[in-house]
């Protein structure tokens, strides 16, 4: 049997808690040395991830399919931002109660209690996160309007290189990284607070995932005169497939097959589903927003609307850069956590661990929501005379 990423992450957390409770100092510092080097490498790679995925993503969105492309991108962005706002509104009311004052007193800045490694290797990024974002936006929009394909092909190949870097180096080493984090936190006496807090936060996130799906399918059902629960039932196989694959991209064939059964035209479904798998991440946005707010509160920060709203708006754009692979969303968002919320490397590493612990649930919400958005796009475009050809009956 294939030992998937989620079981490896859970195993790494459990082993980290166990080993950290009795490990000698030299072992903890050895794990911290690996974490310091690996953390520097992730920080070095973040601008490349942004450039590699945002430029081809914007280039694709900005050309070739006219009005239906604009409608699809607009609906996906609106849904993602709504999901982030929902997570903020619920989190701002529930998280202060979930994270009690007693826990806040117990929790200390990880930089103060975690053991440092024996040495580290400084890897200075080629550019800052914001510079990479601005460069990606300029190049992506420019490529969308260029008649030639030379630059587009070059950045597509660059994207392939970064995808392999993520798939074959970063993702396989993440469980080792997470093992080191939780070993160090247990050694420093912080892990009990972290786990007790985020067990409750995860329950809140799962409920929010279900709520956003009900909202999405209620809107799609109302627009098409269909029962939202029956539509949700049709697309449900995509949800359970994504739970196993943890990948929006790998679930596309199942999502496409089920969405066609909802009554959406084949033309619209064939266009929208693959595109939405890359640009619509409402479930991931809920998780990232909720976990980020939890980490901020534990660190003594207040996630105010003025702080979180720009982050959510940029997160909706940056999700275009999220690879359709396990952990892709949090890797794409790591730069924003640092530049807009002031997260240090330890907080980013904690966010990665927390996100990956429930990555399959967020991915399942993403792809299931794609079905509702495709139905809505079908309704809007059919009024404009687009996509009226054959439907595949349920």
């Amino acid at each position: 049997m294939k030992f998937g990423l989620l079981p490896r992450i859970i195993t790494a957390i459990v082993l980290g808690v166990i080993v950290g409770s009795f490990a000698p100092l030299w072992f903890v510092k050895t794990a911290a040395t690996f974490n310091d080097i690996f953390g520097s490498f992730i920080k070095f790679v973040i601008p490349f991830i942004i450039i590699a995925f945002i430029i081809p993503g914007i280039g694709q969105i900005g050309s070739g399919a006219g009005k239906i492309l604009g409608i699809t991108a607009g609906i996906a962005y609106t849904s993602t931002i709504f999901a982030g706002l929902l997570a903020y509104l619920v989190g701002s009311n529930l998280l202060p109660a979930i994270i009690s004052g007693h826990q806040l007193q117990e929790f200390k800045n990880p930089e103060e209690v975690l053991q440092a490694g024996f040495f580290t290797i400084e890897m200075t990024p080629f550019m800052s996160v914001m510079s990479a974002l601005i460069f990606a936006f300029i190049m992506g929009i420019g490529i969308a309007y260029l008649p030639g394909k030379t630059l587009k092909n070059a950045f597509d190949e660059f994207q392939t290189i970064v995808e392999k870097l993520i798939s074959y180096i970063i993702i396989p080493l993440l469980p080792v990284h997470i093992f080191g984090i939780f070993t160090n936190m247990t050694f420093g006496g912080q892990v009990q607070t972290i786990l007790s807090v985020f067990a409750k936060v995860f329950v809140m996130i799962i409920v929010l995932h279900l709520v956003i799906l009900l909202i999405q399918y209620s809107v799609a059902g109302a627009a098409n005169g269909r029962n939202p629960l029956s539509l949700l039932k049709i697309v449900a196989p995509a949800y359970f497939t994504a739970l196993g694959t943890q990948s929006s991209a790998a679930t596309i064939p199942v999502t496409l097959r089920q969405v066609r059964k909802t009554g959406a035209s084949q033309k619209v479904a064939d266009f929208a589903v693959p595109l939405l798998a890359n640009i619509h991440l409402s479930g991931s946005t809920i998780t990232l927003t909720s976990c980020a707010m939890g980490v901020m509160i534990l660190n003594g920060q207040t996630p105010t609307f003025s702080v979180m709203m720009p982050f959510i708006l940029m997160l909706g754009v940056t999700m275009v850069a999220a690879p359709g692979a396990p952990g892709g969303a949090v890797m794409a968002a790591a730069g924003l956590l640092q530049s807009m919320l002031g997260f240090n490397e330890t907080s980013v590493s904690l966010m990665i661990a927390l996100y990956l612990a429930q990555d399959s649930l967020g991915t399942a919400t993403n792809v299931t929501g794609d079905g509702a958005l495709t139905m809505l796009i079908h309704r809007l475009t059919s009024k404009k005379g687009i996509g009226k050809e054959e439907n595949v009956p349920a």
Side-chain angles (χ1 to χ4, degrees):
M1 293 179 62
K2 184 179 180 181
F3 197 52
L5 180 61
L6 180 59
R8 280 183 281 152
I9 295 298
I10 294 173
T11 301
I13 292 173
V14 172
L15 287 177
V17 173
I18 294 173
V19 172
S21 62
F22 65 83
L25 179 61
W26 67 265
F27 183 89
V28 177
K29 291 181 75 68
T30 300
T33 302
F34 170 81
N35 283 358
D36 289 343
I37 295 172
F38 188 70
S40 295
F41 179 68
I42 290 177
K43 187 176 180 180
F44 177 81
V45 170
I46 284 172
F48 293 146
I49 294 175
I50 292 171
I51 291 170
F53 290 97
I54 286 186
I55 291 177
I58 293 178
Q60 178 187 8
I61 290 174
S63 62
K67 293 181 179 179
I68 186 174
L69 185 54
I71 290 172
T72 303
I75 290 176
Y77 184 74
T78 301
S79 176
T80 301
I81 298 306
F82 179 80
L85 283 173
L86 177 66
Y88 170 76
L89 292 173
V90 174
S92 60
N93 286 283
L94 293 184
L95 286 176
I98 291 174
I99 305 174
S100 65
H102 176 66
Q103 289 168 323
L104 286 172
Q105 291 176 358
E106 288 184 344
F107 187 78
K108 298 178 182 178
N109 185 340
E111 297 291 338
E112 298 175 0
V113 298
L114 297 185
Q115 294 296 321
F118 292 112
F119 64 91
T120 187
I121 300 174
E122 186 65 30
M123 304 179 198
T124 305
F126 275 43
M127 63 179 70
S128 69
V129 170
M130 288 308 299
S131 297
L133 281 169
I134 293 170
F135 176 75
F137 293 154
I138 292 172
M139 294 300 295
I141 293 171
I143 287 172
Y145 285 94
L146 283 178
K149 299 292 183 181
T150 304
L151 272 178
K152 182 181 183 304
N153 292 337
F155 280 108
D156 285 344
E157 292 183 1
F158 181 60
Q159 182 185 66
T160 301
I161 293 172
V162 175
E163 278 181 337
K164 292 187 179 299
L165 176 67
I166 293 172
S167 298
Y168 293 105
I169 297 179
I170 294 179
I171 295 298
L173 288 177
L174 276 176
V176 181
H177 185 52
I178 290 169
F179 166 78
I181 292 169
F182 278 86
T183 298
N184 208 335
M185 284 185 174
T186 303
F187 188 84
Q190 296 294 293
V191 76
Q192 184 176 354
T193 301
I194 292 289
L195 294 179
S196 62
V197 166
F198 282 96
K200 301 172 187 176
V201 174
F202 285 162
V203 173
M204 183 190 81
I205 289 171
I206 292 170
V207 173
L208 286 174
H209 284 168
L210 297 175
V211 169
I212 195 67
L213 286 176
L214 288 174
I215 292 172
Q216 290 168 341
Y217 276 88
S218 295
V219 173
N224 289 274
R226 299 284 300 276
N227 184 329
L229 294 180
S230 67
L231 292 174
L232 189 53
K233 182 179 178 180
I234 292 171
V235 186
Y239 182 93
F240 293 104
T241 302
L243 283 178
T245 64
Q246 291 182 260
S247 169
S248 299
T251 312
I252 285 175
V254 178
T255 309
L256 191 57
R257 182 190 65 199
Q258 299 306 121
V259 168
R260 287 173 178 173
K261 295 179 180 180
T262 64
S265 71
Q266 184 170 333
K267 177 180 178 181
V268 171
D270 289 353
F271 174 86
V273 169
L275 179 59
L276 290 171
N278 289 286
I279 67 174
H280 175 238
L281 289 88
S282 55
S284 298
T285 301
I286 286 174
T287 304
L288 289 167
T289 303
S290 300
C291 288
M293 292 174 67
V295 171
M296 290 175 70
I297 292 173
L298 274 177
N299 282 320
Q301 299 172 272
T302 302
T304 61
F305 182 80
S306 60
V307 171
M308 294 304 299
M309 188 60 198
F311 171 74
I312 292 169
L313 292 173
M314 285 301 298
L315 191 61
V317 176
T318 307
M319 286 299 95
V320 175
V330 71
M331 296 307 301
L336 292 183
L337 293 169
Q338 291 177 322
S339 63
M340 300 190 73
L341 300 185
F343 279 30
N344 55 33
E345 291 183 16
T346 303
S347 295
V348 170
S349 297
L350 177 59
M351 276 290 298
I352 292 173
L354 294 170
Y355 180 88
L356 288 175
Q358 62 77 67
D359 186 22
S360 59
L361 294 170
T363 301
T365 303
N366 295 338
V367 300
T368 308
D370 293 347
L373 267 60
T374 301
M375 287 291 293
L376 190 57
I377 294 163
H378 162 76
R379 178 61 177 169
L380 293 174
T381 55
S382 64
K383 293 181 179 180
K384 301 177 182 294
I386 304 173
K388 286 188 175 181
E389 78 282 13
E390 76 282 355
N391 295 332
V392 179

